[in-house]
PDB file of all heavy atoms in Angstrom:
ATOM      1  N   PRO V  44       4.647 -17.362  14.517  1.00  0.00           N
ATOM      2  CA  PRO V  44       4.375 -18.844  14.615  1.00  0.00           C
ATOM      3  C   PRO V  44       5.492 -19.788  14.072  1.00  0.00           C
ATOM      4  O   PRO V  44       5.431 -20.998  14.386  1.00  0.00           O
ATOM      5  CB  PRO V  44       3.266 -18.960  13.636  1.00  0.00           C
ATOM      6  CG  PRO V  44       3.331 -17.827  12.668  1.00  0.00           C
ATOM      7  CD  PRO V  44       3.877 -16.728  13.581  1.00  0.00           C
ATOM      8  N   ARG V  45       6.548 -19.337  13.546  1.00  0.00           N
ATOM      9  CA  ARG V  45       7.573 -20.200  12.883  1.00  0.00           C
ATOM     10  C   ARG V  45       8.986 -19.713  13.412  1.00  0.00           C
ATOM     11  O   ARG V  45       9.260 -18.476  13.388  1.00  0.00           O
ATOM     12  CB  ARG V  45       7.473 -20.138  11.380  1.00  0.00           C
ATOM     13  CG  ARG V  45       8.464 -21.101  10.720  1.00  0.00           C
ATOM     14  CD  ARG V  45       8.235 -21.173   9.194  1.00  0.00           C
ATOM     15  NE  ARG V  45       9.124 -21.966   8.497  1.00  0.00           N
ATOM     16  CZ  ARG V  45      10.160 -21.626   7.802  1.00  0.00           C
ATOM     17  NH1 ARG V  45      10.477 -20.299   7.890  1.00  0.00           N
ATOM     18  NH2 ARG V  45      10.996 -22.453   7.166  1.00  0.00           N
ATOM     19  N   LEU V  46       9.743 -20.619  13.907  1.00  0.00           N
ATOM     20  CA  LEU V  46      11.115 -20.313  14.304  1.00  0.00           C
ATOM     21  C   LEU V  46      12.074 -21.250  13.599  1.00  0.00           C
ATOM     22  O   LEU V  46      11.653 -22.476  13.271  1.00  0.00           O
ATOM     23  CB  LEU V  46      11.269 -20.255  15.805  1.00  0.00           C
ATOM     24  CG  LEU V  46      11.102 -21.496  16.573  1.00  0.00           C
ATOM     25  CD1 LEU V  46      12.279 -22.403  16.696  1.00  0.00           C
ATOM     26  CD2 LEU V  46      10.599 -21.137  18.037  1.00  0.00           C
ATOM     27  N   LEU V  47      13.351 -20.846  13.429  1.00  0.00           N
ATOM     28  CA  LEU V  47      14.382 -21.669  12.857  1.00  0.00           C
ATOM     29  C   LEU V  47      15.268 -22.256  13.928  1.00  0.00           C
ATOM     30  O   LEU V  47      15.464 -21.525  14.943  1.00  0.00           O
ATOM     31  CB  LEU V  47      15.205 -20.906  11.868  1.00  0.00           C
ATOM     32  CG  LEU V  47      14.449 -20.358  10.600  1.00  0.00           C
ATOM     33  CD1 LEU V  47      15.415 -19.537   9.831  1.00  0.00           C
ATOM     34  CD2 LEU V  47      13.876 -21.443   9.843  1.00  0.00           C
ATOM     35  N   VAL V  48      15.793 -23.426  13.714  1.00  0.00           N
ATOM     36  CA  VAL V  48      16.548 -24.223  14.665  1.00  0.00           C
ATOM     37  C   VAL V  48      17.844 -24.431  13.821  1.00  0.00           C
ATOM     38  O   VAL V  48      17.872 -25.018  12.674  1.00  0.00           O
ATOM     39  CB  VAL V  48      16.048 -25.495  15.121  1.00  0.00           C
ATOM     40  CG1 VAL V  48      17.014 -26.201  15.967  1.00  0.00           C
ATOM     41  CG2 VAL V  48      14.716 -25.238  15.810  1.00  0.00           C
ATOM     42  N   GLY V  49      19.058 -24.122  14.414  1.00  0.00           N
ATOM     43  CA  GLY V  49      20.286 -24.393  13.729  1.00  0.00           C
ATOM     44  C   GLY V  49      21.425 -23.632  14.335  1.00  0.00           C
ATOM     45  O   GLY V  49      21.254 -22.974  15.384  1.00  0.00           O
ATOM     46  N   CYS V  54      18.950 -18.128  13.437  1.00  0.00           N
ATOM     47  CA  CYS V  54      18.129 -19.010  13.970  1.00  0.00           C
ATOM     48  C   CYS V  54      17.748 -18.462  15.405  1.00  0.00           C
ATOM     49  O   CYS V  54      18.513 -18.144  16.215  1.00  0.00           O
ATOM     50  CB  CYS V  54      18.824 -20.358  14.150  1.00  0.00           C
ATOM     51  SG  CYS V  54      19.047 -21.204  12.654  1.00  0.00           S
ATOM     52  N   SER V  64      23.160 -28.439  11.254  1.00  0.00           N
ATOM     53  CA  SER V  64      23.357 -27.500  10.097  1.00  0.00           C
ATOM     54  C   SER V  64      23.096 -26.135  10.468  1.00  0.00           C
ATOM     55  O   SER V  64      22.467 -25.787  11.515  1.00  0.00           O
ATOM     56  CB  SER V  64      22.356 -27.984   9.034  1.00  0.00           C
ATOM     57  OG  SER V  64      22.610 -29.393   8.619  1.00  0.00           O
ATOM     58  N   ARG V  66      21.160 -24.115   9.040  1.00  0.00           N
ATOM     59  CA  ARG V  66      19.701 -23.901   9.071  1.00  0.00           C
ATOM     60  C   ARG V  66      19.029 -25.326   9.098  1.00  0.00           C
ATOM     61  O   ARG V  66      18.806 -25.927   8.068  1.00  0.00           O
ATOM     62  CB  ARG V  66      19.298 -23.120   7.799  1.00  0.00           C
ATOM     63  CG  ARG V  66      17.774 -22.694   7.700  1.00  0.00           C
ATOM     64  CD  ARG V  66      17.649 -21.773   6.511  1.00  0.00           C
ATOM     65  NE  ARG V  66      16.369 -21.419   6.353  1.00  0.00           N
ATOM     66  CZ  ARG V  66      15.491 -22.243   5.533  1.00  0.00           C
ATOM     67  NH1 ARG V  66      15.837 -23.284   5.024  1.00  0.00           N
ATOM     68  NH2 ARG V  66      14.203 -21.771   5.340  1.00  0.00           N
ATOM     69  N   HIS V  67      18.883 -25.974  10.291  1.00  0.00           N
ATOM     70  CA  HIS V  67      18.707 -27.360  10.408  1.00  0.00           C
ATOM     71  C   HIS V  67      17.192 -27.699  10.258  1.00  0.00           C
ATOM     72  O   HIS V  67      16.830 -28.674   9.533  1.00  0.00           O
ATOM     73  CB  HIS V  67      19.174 -27.811  11.741  1.00  0.00           C
ATOM     74  CG  HIS V  67      19.296 -29.307  11.961  1.00  0.00           C
ATOM     75  ND1 HIS V  67      20.535 -29.785  11.847  1.00  0.00           N
ATOM     76  CD2 HIS V  67      18.433 -30.244  12.136  1.00  0.00           C
ATOM     77  CE1 HIS V  67      20.400 -31.213  12.003  1.00  0.00           C
ATOM     78  NE2 HIS V  67      19.137 -31.404  12.194  1.00  0.00           N
ATOM     79  N   ALA V  68      16.333 -26.994  10.980  1.00  0.00           N
ATOM     80  CA  ALA V  68      14.789 -27.346  11.006  1.00  0.00           C
ATOM     81  C   ALA V  68      14.022 -26.214  11.381  1.00  0.00           C
ATOM     82  O   ALA V  68      14.592 -25.103  11.787  1.00  0.00           O
ATOM     83  CB  ALA V  68      14.639 -28.389  12.000  1.00  0.00           C
ATOM     84  N   SER V  69      12.746 -26.245  11.191  1.00  0.00           N
ATOM     85  CA  SER V  69      11.815 -25.166  11.606  1.00  0.00           C
ATOM     86  C   SER V  69      10.777 -25.802  12.494  1.00  0.00           C
ATOM     87  O   SER V  69      10.433 -26.987  12.434  1.00  0.00           O
ATOM     88  CB  SER V  69      11.167 -24.514  10.329  1.00  0.00           C
ATOM     89  OG  SER V  69      10.303 -25.413   9.690  1.00  0.00           O
ATOM     90  N   ILE V  70      10.267 -24.964  13.428  1.00  0.00           N
ATOM     91  CA  ILE V  70       9.186 -25.392  14.347  1.00  0.00           C
ATOM     92  C   ILE V  70       8.135 -24.317  14.178  1.00  0.00           C
ATOM     93  O   ILE V  70       8.289 -23.143  14.352  1.00  0.00           O
ATOM     94  CB  ILE V  70       9.725 -25.483  15.762  1.00  0.00           C
ATOM     95  CG1 ILE V  70      10.766 -26.580  15.882  1.00  0.00           C
ATOM     96  CG2 ILE V  70       8.549 -25.785  16.691  1.00  0.00           C
ATOM     97  CD1 ILE V  70      11.405 -26.743  17.245  1.00  0.00           C
ATOM     98  N   GLU V  71       6.838 -24.874  13.828  1.00  0.00           N
ATOM     99  CA  GLU V  71       5.747 -23.911  13.651  1.00  0.00           C
ATOM    100  C   GLU V  71       4.676 -24.199  14.669  1.00  0.00           C
ATOM    101  O   GLU V  71       4.281 -25.354  14.908  1.00  0.00           O
ATOM    102  CB  GLU V  71       5.256 -24.029  12.282  1.00  0.00           C
ATOM    103  CG  GLU V  71       4.133 -23.127  11.891  1.00  0.00           C
ATOM    104  CD  GLU V  71       3.660 -23.323  10.442  1.00  0.00           C
ATOM    105  OE1 GLU V  71       4.315 -24.127   9.696  1.00  0.00           O
ATOM    106  OE2 GLU V  71       2.709 -22.622  10.041  1.00  0.00           O
ATOM    107  N   LEU V  72       4.191 -23.145  15.285  1.00  0.00           N
ATOM    108  CA  LEU V  72       3.228 -23.313  16.404  1.00  0.00           C
ATOM    109  C   LEU V  72       1.799 -23.295  15.786  1.00  0.00           C
ATOM    110  O   LEU V  72       1.343 -22.465  15.025  1.00  0.00           O
ATOM    111  CB  LEU V  72       3.304 -22.007  17.381  1.00  0.00           C
ATOM    112  CG  LEU V  72       2.280 -21.958  18.484  1.00  0.00           C
ATOM    113  CD1 LEU V  72       2.438 -23.167  19.484  1.00  0.00           C
ATOM    114  CD2 LEU V  72       2.408 -20.667  19.235  1.00  0.00           C
ATOM    115  N   SER V  76      -0.626 -28.133  18.492  1.00  0.00           N
ATOM    116  CA  SER V  76       0.692 -28.913  18.349  1.00  0.00           C
ATOM    117  C   SER V  76       1.661 -28.011  17.735  1.00  0.00           C
ATOM    118  O   SER V  76       1.413 -26.857  17.382  1.00  0.00           O
ATOM    119  CB  SER V  76       0.395 -30.057  17.505  1.00  0.00           C
ATOM    120  OG  SER V  76      -0.001 -29.733  16.172  1.00  0.00           O
ATOM    121  N   LEU V  77       2.938 -28.631  17.671  1.00  0.00           N
ATOM    122  CA  LEU V  77       4.042 -27.954  17.009  1.00  0.00           C
ATOM    123  C   LEU V  77       4.301 -28.782  15.698  1.00  0.00           C
ATOM    124  O   LEU V  77       4.375 -30.036  15.786  1.00  0.00           O
ATOM    125  CB  LEU V  77       5.339 -27.904  17.826  1.00  0.00           C
ATOM    126  CG  LEU V  77       5.274 -27.089  19.113  1.00  0.00           C
ATOM    127  CD1 LEU V  77       6.581 -27.286  19.938  1.00  0.00           C
ATOM    128  CD2 LEU V  77       4.992 -25.656  18.831  1.00  0.00           C
ATOM    129  N   ARG V  78       4.555 -28.138  14.622  1.00  0.00           N
ATOM    130  CA  ARG V  78       4.848 -28.785  13.360  1.00  0.00           C
ATOM    131  C   ARG V  78       6.322 -28.651  13.259  1.00  0.00           C
ATOM    132  O   ARG V  78       6.868 -27.596  12.975  1.00  0.00           O
ATOM    133  CB  ARG V  78       4.160 -28.224  12.204  1.00  0.00           C
ATOM    134  CG  ARG V  78       4.443 -28.933  10.842  1.00  0.00           C
ATOM    135  CD  ARG V  78       3.713 -28.241   9.650  1.00  0.00           C
ATOM    136  NE  ARG V  78       2.420 -28.340   9.830  1.00  0.00           N
ATOM    137  CZ  ARG V  78       1.622 -29.472   9.507  1.00  0.00           C
ATOM    138  NH1 ARG V  78       2.232 -30.553   8.971  1.00  0.00           N
ATOM    139  NH2 ARG V  78       0.341 -29.448   9.706  1.00  0.00           N
ATOM    140  N   LEU V  79       7.042 -29.814  13.253  1.00  0.00           N
ATOM    141  CA  LEU V  79       8.533 -29.823  13.142  1.00  0.00           C
ATOM    142  C   LEU V  79       8.844 -30.195  11.640  1.00  0.00           C
ATOM    143  O   LEU V  79       8.339 -31.253  11.144  1.00  0.00           O
ATOM    144  CB  LEU V  79       9.075 -30.808  14.029  1.00  0.00           C
ATOM    145  CG  LEU V  79      10.522 -31.211  13.987  1.00  0.00           C
ATOM    146  CD1 LEU V  79      11.490 -29.978  14.322  1.00  0.00           C
ATOM    147  CD2 LEU V  79      10.919 -32.407  14.766  1.00  0.00           C
ATOM    148  N   THR V  80       9.685 -29.477  10.997  1.00  0.00           N
ATOM    149  CA  THR V  80      10.097 -29.751   9.687  1.00  0.00           C
ATOM    150  C   THR V  80      11.508 -29.741   9.544  1.00  0.00           C
ATOM    151  O   THR V  80      12.252 -28.678   9.841  1.00  0.00           O
ATOM    152  CB  THR V  80       9.513 -28.750   8.674  1.00  0.00           C
ATOM    153  OG1 THR V  80       8.058 -28.697   8.851  1.00  0.00           O
ATOM    154  CG2 THR V  80       9.744 -29.121   7.183  1.00  0.00           C
ATOM    155  N   ASP V  81      12.195 -30.840   9.074  1.00  0.00           N
ATOM    156  CA  ASP V  81      13.631 -30.921   8.728  1.00  0.00           C
ATOM    157  C   ASP V  81      13.890 -30.071   7.486  1.00  0.00           C
ATOM    158  O   ASP V  81      13.179 -30.314   6.526  1.00  0.00           O
ATOM    159  CB  ASP V  81      14.071 -32.370   8.656  1.00  0.00           C
ATOM    160  CG  ASP V  81      15.553 -32.443   8.385  1.00  0.00           C
ATOM    161  OD1 ASP V  81      16.377 -32.317   9.359  1.00  0.00           O
ATOM    162  OD2 ASP V  81      16.019 -32.588   7.228  1.00  0.00           O
ATOM    163  N   LEU V  82      14.928 -29.227   7.525  1.00  0.00           N
ATOM    164  CA  LEU V  82      15.169 -28.365   6.343  1.00  0.00           C
ATOM    165  C   LEU V  82      16.387 -28.918   5.584  1.00  0.00           C
ATOM    166  O   LEU V  82      17.351 -28.114   5.371  1.00  0.00           O
ATOM    167  CB  LEU V  82      15.401 -26.947   6.785  1.00  0.00           C
ATOM    168  CG  LEU V  82      14.227 -26.298   7.579  1.00  0.00           C
ATOM    169  CD1 LEU V  82      14.609 -24.924   8.046  1.00  0.00           C
ATOM    170  CD2 LEU V  82      13.029 -26.242   6.656  1.00  0.00           C
ATOM    171  N   GLU V  83      16.290 -30.146   5.161  1.00  0.00           N
ATOM    172  CA  GLU V  83      17.315 -30.843   4.388  1.00  0.00           C
ATOM    173  C   GLU V  83      18.656 -30.760   5.230  1.00  0.00           C
ATOM    174  O   GLU V  83      19.756 -30.454   4.503  1.00  0.00           O
ATOM    175  CB  GLU V  83      17.399 -30.207   2.933  1.00  0.00           C
ATOM    176  CG  GLU V  83      16.136 -30.375   2.182  1.00  0.00           C
ATOM    177  CD  GLU V  83      16.321 -29.765   0.750  1.00  0.00           C
ATOM    178  OE1 GLU V  83      17.322 -29.244   0.455  1.00  0.00           O
ATOM    179  OE2 GLU V  83      15.311 -29.775   0.060  1.00  0.00           O
ATOM    180  N   SER V  84      18.663 -30.900   6.436  1.00  0.00           N
ATOM    181  CA  SER V  84      19.875 -30.944   7.259  1.00  0.00           C
ATOM    182  C   SER V  84      20.770 -32.082   6.904  1.00  0.00           C
ATOM    183  O   SER V  84      20.403 -33.120   6.274  1.00  0.00           O
ATOM    184  CB  SER V  84      19.503 -31.001   8.674  1.00  0.00           C
ATOM    185  OG  SER V  84      18.842 -32.247   9.009  1.00  0.00           O
ATOM    186  N   GLY V  87      20.169 -34.898   9.735  1.00  0.00           N
ATOM    187  CA  GLY V  87      18.833 -35.346  10.005  1.00  0.00           C
ATOM    188  C   GLY V  87      18.312 -34.785  11.410  1.00  0.00           C
ATOM    189  O   GLY V  87      18.875 -34.300  12.262  1.00  0.00           O
ATOM    190  N   THR V  88      16.972 -34.967  11.438  1.00  0.00           N
ATOM    191  CA  THR V  88      16.184 -34.616  12.714  1.00  0.00           C
ATOM    192  C   THR V  88      15.508 -35.774  13.204  1.00  0.00           C
ATOM    193  O   THR V  88      14.827 -36.549  12.440  1.00  0.00           O
ATOM    194  CB  THR V  88      15.208 -33.410  12.359  1.00  0.00           C
ATOM    195  OG1 THR V  88      15.871 -32.340  11.907  1.00  0.00           O
ATOM    196  CG2 THR V  88      14.383 -33.085  13.591  1.00  0.00           C
ATOM    197  N   PHE V  89      15.519 -36.124  14.455  1.00  0.00           N
ATOM    198  CA  PHE V  89      14.986 -37.338  15.038  1.00  0.00           C
ATOM    199  C   PHE V  89      13.937 -37.029  16.080  1.00  0.00           C
ATOM    200  O   PHE V  89      14.141 -36.125  16.918  1.00  0.00           O
ATOM    201  CB  PHE V  89      16.066 -38.167  15.576  1.00  0.00           C
ATOM    202  CG  PHE V  89      17.071 -38.701  14.577  1.00  0.00           C
ATOM    203  CD1 PHE V  89      18.063 -37.909  14.125  1.00  0.00           C
ATOM    204  CD2 PHE V  89      16.973 -40.072  14.120  1.00  0.00           C
ATOM    205  CE1 PHE V  89      18.980 -38.338  13.216  1.00  0.00           C
ATOM    206  CE2 PHE V  89      17.851 -40.496  13.167  1.00  0.00           C
ATOM    207  CZ  PHE V  89      18.842 -39.704  12.681  1.00  0.00           C
ATOM    208  N   VAL V  90      12.859 -37.741  16.204  1.00  0.00           N
ATOM    209  CA  VAL V  90      11.819 -37.601  17.232  1.00  0.00           C
ATOM    210  C   VAL V  90      11.751 -39.025  17.891  1.00  0.00           C
ATOM    211  O   VAL V  90      11.373 -39.954  17.273  1.00  0.00           O
ATOM    212  CB  VAL V  90      10.446 -37.232  16.704  1.00  0.00           C
ATOM    213  CG1 VAL V  90       9.440 -37.174  17.783  1.00  0.00           C
ATOM    214  CG2 VAL V  90      10.628 -35.826  16.040  1.00  0.00           C
ATOM    215  N   ARG V  94      14.067 -40.855  12.633  1.00  0.00           N
ATOM    216  CA  ARG V  94      14.359 -39.881  11.746  1.00  0.00           C
ATOM    217  C   ARG V  94      13.101 -39.341  11.020  1.00  0.00           C
ATOM    218  O   ARG V  94      12.319 -40.265  10.513  1.00  0.00           O
ATOM    219  CB  ARG V  94      15.408 -40.208  10.770  1.00  0.00           C
ATOM    220  CG  ARG V  94      15.860 -38.994   9.812  1.00  0.00           C
ATOM    221  CD  ARG V  94      17.084 -39.309   9.102  1.00  0.00           C
ATOM    222  NE  ARG V  94      17.557 -38.149   8.271  1.00  0.00           N
ATOM    223  CZ  ARG V  94      18.773 -38.004   7.812  1.00  0.00           C
ATOM    224  NH1 ARG V  94      19.662 -38.999   7.905  1.00  0.00           N
ATOM    225  NH2 ARG V  94      19.142 -36.967   7.159  1.00  0.00           N
ATOM    226  N   VAL V  95      12.845 -38.109  11.013  1.00  0.00           N
ATOM    227  CA  VAL V  95      11.554 -37.571  10.354  1.00  0.00           C
ATOM    228  C   VAL V  95      11.942 -36.401   9.440  1.00  0.00           C
ATOM    229  O   VAL V  95      12.966 -35.784   9.544  1.00  0.00           O
ATOM    230  CB  VAL V  95      10.625 -36.930  11.456  1.00  0.00           C
ATOM    231  CG1 VAL V  95      10.252 -38.079  12.496  1.00  0.00           C
ATOM    232  CG2 VAL V  95      11.255 -35.768  12.202  1.00  0.00           C
ATOM    233  N   VAL V  96      11.126 -36.254   8.477  1.00  0.00           N
ATOM    234  CA  VAL V  96      11.113 -35.152   7.622  1.00  0.00           C
ATOM    235  C   VAL V  96      10.087 -34.054   8.144  1.00  0.00           C
ATOM    236  O   VAL V  96      10.502 -32.795   8.134  1.00  0.00           O
ATOM    237  CB  VAL V  96      10.701 -35.545   6.138  1.00  0.00           C
ATOM    238  CG1 VAL V  96      10.587 -34.315   5.242  1.00  0.00           C
ATOM    239  CG2 VAL V  96      11.588 -36.510   5.561  1.00  0.00           C
ATOM    240  N   GLU V  97       8.985 -34.511   8.647  1.00  0.00           N
ATOM    241  CA  GLU V  97       8.050 -33.691   9.228  1.00  0.00           C
ATOM    242  C   GLU V  97       7.308 -34.516  10.303  1.00  0.00           C
ATOM    243  O   GLU V  97       6.981 -35.603  10.098  1.00  0.00           O
ATOM    244  CB  GLU V  97       7.008 -33.103   8.154  1.00  0.00           C
ATOM    245  CG  GLU V  97       6.071 -32.016   8.669  1.00  0.00           C
ATOM    246  CD  GLU V  97       5.358 -31.415   7.447  1.00  0.00           C
ATOM    247  OE1 GLU V  97       4.300 -32.088   7.106  1.00  0.00           O
ATOM    248  OE2 GLU V  97       5.671 -30.305   7.051  1.00  0.00           O
ATOM    249  N   ALA V  98       6.899 -33.734  11.381  1.00  0.00           N
ATOM    250  CA  ALA V  98       6.192 -34.417  12.425  1.00  0.00           C
ATOM    251  C   ALA V  98       5.373 -33.395  13.235  1.00  0.00           C
ATOM    252  O   ALA V  98       5.763 -32.200  13.344  1.00  0.00           O
ATOM    253  CB  ALA V  98       7.189 -35.103  13.377  1.00  0.00           C
ATOM    254  N   LEU V  99       4.312 -33.865  13.888  1.00  0.00           N
ATOM    255  CA  LEU V  99       3.493 -33.086  14.780  1.00  0.00           C
ATOM    256  C   LEU V  99       3.867 -33.380  16.195  1.00  0.00           C
ATOM    257  O   LEU V  99       3.876 -34.612  16.586  1.00  0.00           O
ATOM    258  CB  LEU V  99       1.961 -33.235  14.531  1.00  0.00           C
ATOM    259  CG  LEU V  99       1.448 -32.734  13.231  1.00  0.00           C
ATOM    260  CD1 LEU V  99      -0.030 -33.131  13.143  1.00  0.00           C
ATOM    261  CD2 LEU V  99       1.699 -31.254  13.063  1.00  0.00           C
ATOM    262  N   LEU V 100       4.188 -32.395  17.037  1.00  0.00           N
ATOM    263  CA  LEU V 100       4.614 -32.606  18.344  1.00  0.00           C
ATOM    264  C   LEU V 100       3.483 -32.047  19.280  1.00  0.00           C
ATOM    265  O   LEU V 100       3.115 -30.988  19.122  1.00  0.00           O
ATOM    266  CB  LEU V 100       5.897 -31.852  18.608  1.00  0.00           C
ATOM    267  CG  LEU V 100       7.089 -32.171  17.612  1.00  0.00           C
ATOM    268  CD1 LEU V 100       8.310 -31.266  18.014  1.00  0.00           C
ATOM    269  CD2 LEU V 100       7.432 -33.642  17.626  1.00  0.00           C
ATOM    270  N   VAL V 106      13.363 -34.384  20.834  1.00  0.00           N
ATOM    271  CA  VAL V 106      13.794 -34.174  19.522  1.00  0.00           C
ATOM    272  C   VAL V 106      15.308 -34.051  19.469  1.00  0.00           C
ATOM    273  O   VAL V 106      15.853 -33.347  20.390  1.00  0.00           O
ATOM    274  CB  VAL V 106      13.207 -32.933  18.884  1.00  0.00           C
ATOM    275  CG1 VAL V 106      13.655 -32.706  17.433  1.00  0.00           C
ATOM    276  CG2 VAL V 106      11.636 -32.996  18.943  1.00  0.00           C
ATOM    277  N   THR V 107      15.987 -34.697  18.587  1.00  0.00           N
ATOM    278  CA  THR V 107      17.380 -34.714  18.503  1.00  0.00           C
ATOM    279  C   THR V 107      17.948 -33.994  17.218  1.00  0.00           C
ATOM    280  O   THR V 107      17.545 -34.384  16.144  1.00  0.00           O
ATOM    281  CB  THR V 107      18.049 -36.195  18.609  1.00  0.00           C
ATOM    282  OG1 THR V 107      17.583 -36.834  19.696  1.00  0.00           O
ATOM    283  CG2 THR V 107      19.519 -36.124  18.638  1.00  0.00           C
ATOM    284  N   PHE V 108      18.663 -32.991  17.421  1.00  0.00           N
ATOM    285  CA  PHE V 108      19.382 -32.208  16.353  1.00  0.00           C
ATOM    286  C   PHE V 108      20.886 -32.480  16.608  1.00  0.00           C
ATOM    287  O   PHE V 108      21.463 -31.923  17.500  1.00  0.00           O
ATOM    288  CB  PHE V 108      19.101 -30.784  16.410  1.00  0.00           C
ATOM    289  CG  PHE V 108      17.641 -30.383  16.458  1.00  0.00           C
ATOM    290  CD1 PHE V 108      17.065 -30.028  17.605  1.00  0.00           C
ATOM    291  CD2 PHE V 108      16.873 -30.442  15.290  1.00  0.00           C
ATOM    292  CE1 PHE V 108      15.692 -29.602  17.667  1.00  0.00           C
ATOM    293  CE2 PHE V 108      15.457 -30.157  15.287  1.00  0.00           C
ATOM    294  CZ  PHE V 108      14.940 -29.663  16.583  1.00  0.00           C
ATOM    295  N   ARG V 280      19.852 -18.749   3.715  1.00  0.00           N
ATOM    296  CA  ARG V 280      20.719 -19.411   2.793  1.00  0.00           C
ATOM    297  C   ARG V 280      21.616 -18.413   1.965  1.00  0.00           C
ATOM    298  O   ARG V 280      22.742 -18.738   1.756  1.00  0.00           O
ATOM    299  CB  ARG V 280      19.884 -20.230   1.866  1.00  0.00           C
ATOM    300  CG  ARG V 280      20.688 -21.170   0.933  1.00  0.00           C
ATOM    301  CD  ARG V 280      19.819 -22.254   0.359  1.00  0.00           C
ATOM    302  NE  ARG V 280      19.357 -23.125   1.361  1.00  0.00           N
ATOM    303  CZ  ARG V 280      18.508 -24.152   1.268  1.00  0.00           C
ATOM    304  NH1 ARG V 280      17.902 -24.306   0.025  1.00  0.00           N
ATOM    305  NH2 ARG V 280      18.094 -24.937   2.249  1.00  0.00           N
ATOM    306  N   GLU V 301       7.060 -13.486   9.000  1.00  0.00           N
ATOM    307  CA  GLU V 301       6.891 -14.273   7.868  1.00  0.00           C
ATOM    308  C   GLU V 301       5.374 -14.430   7.593  1.00  0.00           C
ATOM    309  O   GLU V 301       4.654 -14.852   8.493  1.00  0.00           O
ATOM    310  CB  GLU V 301       7.438 -15.692   7.868  1.00  0.00           C
ATOM    311  CG  GLU V 301       7.329 -16.567   6.755  1.00  0.00           C
ATOM    312  CD  GLU V 301       7.885 -17.936   6.869  1.00  0.00           C
ATOM    313  OE1 GLU V 301       8.391 -18.198   7.940  1.00  0.00           O
ATOM    314  OE2 GLU V 301       7.811 -18.716   6.013  1.00  0.00           O
ATOM    315  N   ARG V 306      -1.588 -21.962   1.066  1.00  0.00           N
ATOM    316  CA  ARG V 306      -1.873 -23.429   1.195  1.00  0.00           C
ATOM    317  C   ARG V 306      -1.709 -23.823   2.693  1.00  0.00           C
ATOM    318  O   ARG V 306      -2.221 -24.922   3.029  1.00  0.00           O
ATOM    319  CB  ARG V 306      -0.920 -24.189   0.373  1.00  0.00           C
ATOM    320  CG  ARG V 306       0.541 -24.020   0.634  1.00  0.00           C
ATOM    321  CD  ARG V 306       1.447 -24.817  -0.282  1.00  0.00           C
ATOM    322  NE  ARG V 306       2.880 -24.537  -0.014  1.00  0.00           N
ATOM    323  CZ  ARG V 306       3.519 -23.565  -0.416  1.00  0.00           C
ATOM    324  NH1 ARG V 306       2.963 -22.711  -1.235  1.00  0.00           N
ATOM    325  NH2 ARG V 306       4.870 -23.410  -0.093  1.00  0.00           N
ATOM    326  N   ARG V 307      -1.038 -23.002   3.464  1.00  0.00           N
ATOM    327  CA  ARG V 307      -0.884 -23.289   4.837  1.00  0.00           C
ATOM    328  C   ARG V 307      -1.928 -22.535   5.811  1.00  0.00           C
ATOM    329  O   ARG V 307      -1.832 -22.498   7.030  1.00  0.00           O
ATOM    330  CB  ARG V 307       0.519 -22.950   5.414  1.00  0.00           C
ATOM    331  CG  ARG V 307       1.520 -24.043   4.990  1.00  0.00           C
ATOM    332  CD  ARG V 307       3.000 -23.608   5.233  1.00  0.00           C
ATOM    333  NE  ARG V 307       3.102 -22.893   6.449  1.00  0.00           N
ATOM    334  CZ  ARG V 307       4.200 -22.072   6.682  1.00  0.00           C
ATOM    335  NH1 ARG V 307       5.071 -21.930   5.717  1.00  0.00           N
ATOM    336  NH2 ARG V 307       4.285 -21.330   7.794  1.00  0.00           N
TER     337      ARG V 307
END
Side-chain angles (χ1 to χ4, degrees):
R45 183 173 180 263
L46 63 84
L47 295 175
V48 180
C54 295
S64 298
R66 187 173 176 272
H67 196 103
S69 68
I70 297 177
E71 185 174 356
L72 178 64
S76 63
L77 297 177
R78 182 181 297 276
L79 171 69
T80 304
D81 182 81
L82 300 178
E83 300 180 0
S84 64
T88 299
F89 297 79
V90 176
R94 185 166 185 167
V95 300
V96 175
E97 188 173 80
L99 292 179
L100 310 177
V106 183
T107 304
F108 308 103
R280 185 162 295 172
E301 179 183 2
R306 64 181 175 276
R307 280 172 37 205

